Amino acid sequence: MELTPPDIVRAAYAELVVTDLEASRRFWVDLLGFVVSSQTPDTLYLRGYDELIHHNLILRAGPVPAAARLAYRVRTAADLDRAEAFFAALGCRTARVPAGVTPGVGEAVRAEDPLGFTVELFFEADHAERLQQRYDLRRGAEPARMDHFNIVVPDVRAAYEYYASLGFGLSETIEDDQALYAAWMFRKQTVHDVAFTGGEGPRLHHLGFFAHESHQVLRICDILGSLRQESVIERGPGRHGVSNAFYVYLRDPDGHRVEIYTSDYYTGDPGHPVLRWSVRDPRRRDFWGHPVVPSWYNEASAVLDLDGHPRPLLSEKQPAEIMVGADGFTRLSARS
Ligand SMILES: [Fe+2]
């Protein structure tokens, strides 16, 4: 019997474990400009200025930095039953979470997915105050909304096939005749809700948040420079080849990576053509050919299972996209 996958609408929020909640508040709220939807002594619920559900990001204080879960919104309440059946048929552990366990979120299904990530699917969500035109409140990078999860997986092709079975479309790839090195996949009508970076995994590579204008990407860099926090800027600003995004990558106080970006594109037409980048094209990761810093390829956040324990890492299956040597770094692909 063909299983009907749940109808996923979009990447909606993530939960990160952070070791110093006040330091995280200074970074995510005071510097980057996220809106605090609600808070408890050990947890912050944050959203972007365009977001109309309760949160895009949960920061929860804990002993070790990690990504606790990645949450997708589904289209109907019946999709929760479909999700439970879909993951059970794959042999994945699942759990039903009653409404209200997560503030602002209704009943949810959590699962340890076949890639080793704890995912949550939910339908009902409380609406938050509309702040899009509260320009008077904006700070930092003026983040608008959650856009995507970038995850590190040992087997990019297996990740692609799994997310294709969940009904995700493919927008772009990095590949050659031998291997799929990275892929970008979507449910909402943008370049992606999830992307795969090859490497030891499962790990969370970064959370991607959309800003409306390129000056917002530049402004957060200027602010960080002024505050002598330039080391927070890991990579960029620059223009991606893949996705055309104008981007910057920052590292939070626990090393969790966040991308602030703008200017990707519409993918919603049926049969949207896939853009396939050669792994030998130096413009794929940065359209201007700037080298990618080694930490961007090597470092990522641990992920937790349903019980909150760190998932063991598996080594990369496909060849590495780039060589990162003891003497630094080379932009050349593994096969060039
Ligand atoms: Fe990204």
Side-chain angles (χ1 to χ4, degrees), residues 251-270:
R251 303 292 291 271
D252 88 348
D254 287 290
H256 296 304
R257 183 180 291 108
V258 54
E259 179 185 23
I260 305 292
Y261 86 97
T262 191
S263 94
D264 58 344
Y265 59 86
Y266 169 75
T267 57
D269 266 29

Side-chain angles (χ1 to χ4, degrees), residues 91-109:
C92 300
R93 282 182 70 201
T94 65
R96 282 265 181 174
V97 181
V101 167
T102 304
V105 171
E107 188 183 19
V109 169

Side-chain angles (χ1 to χ4, degrees), residues 54-274:
H54 184 263
H55 56 261
N56 298 130
L57 181 63
I58 301 175
L59 301 175
R60 176 168 56 83
V64 180
R69 64 181 188 267
L70 308 175
Y72 294 98
R73 193 167 189 197
V74 295
R75 197 166 304 280
T76 69
D79 286 302
L80 297 183
D81 296 331
R82 291 190 192 99
E84 200 165 26
F86 181 87
F87 288 110
L90 294 176
C92 300
R93 282 182 70 201
T94 65
R96 282 265 181 174
V97 181
V101 167
T102 304
V105 171
E107 188 183 19
V109 169
R110 291 183 190 168
E112 291 173 358
D113 78 8
L115 308 179
F117 294 84
T118 297
V119 294
E120 176 177 295
L121 292 89
F122 68 97
F123 166 61
E124 290 182 356
D126 292 347
H127 279 148
E129 182 186 357
R130 190 184 299 270
L131 295 177
Q132 186 175 34
Q133 290 176 311
R134 289 297 307 274
Y135 291 99
D136 54 311
L137 300 179
R138 294 193 184 190
R139 300 179 304 277
E142 305 180 33
R145 58 173 172 78
M146 159 68 70
D147 187 76
H148 58 265
F149 310 127
N150 190 307
I151 58 177
V152 186
V153 295
D155 186 340
V156 171
R157 186 163 297 281
Y160 159 72
E161 288 172 358
Y162 159 64
Y163 267 97
S165 78
L166 263 175
F168 281 62
L170 179 66
S171 58
E172 303 200 26
T173 68
I174 294 174
E175 61 183 55
D176 64 11
D177 294 342
Q178 313 298 320
L180 183 62
Y181 298 92
W184 285 256
M185 300 187 78
F186 63 93
R187 285 295 299 173
K188 69 181 182 313
Q189 300 179 343
T190 61
V191 171
H192 59 320
D193 292 282
V194 67
F196 319 121
T197 299
E200 269 193 344
R203 290 181 296 166
L204 174 68
H205 190 274
H206 67 264
L207 300 175
F209 291 93
F210 178 80
H212 282 280
E213 300 175 44
S214 53
H215 73 76
Q216 291 155 337
V217 174
L218 296 170
R219 182 162 184 261
I220 189 62
C221 297
D222 283 337
I223 290 170
L224 290 165
S226 297
L227 296 174
R228 296 307 312 258
Q229 295 189 43
E230 67 282 359
S231 63
V232 162
I233 305 170
E234 182 187 35
R235 178 184 165 201
R239 171 81 64 189
H240 284 309
V242 171
S243 84
N244 193 48
F246 184 77
Y247 69 88
V248 66
Y249 292 94
L250 311 174
R251 303 292 291 271
D252 88 348
D254 287 290
H256 296 304
R257 183 180 291 108
V258 54
E259 179 185 23
I260 305 292
Y261 86 97
T262 191
S263 94
D264 58 344
Y265 59 86
Y266 169 75
T267 57
D269 266 29
H272 178 81
V274 178

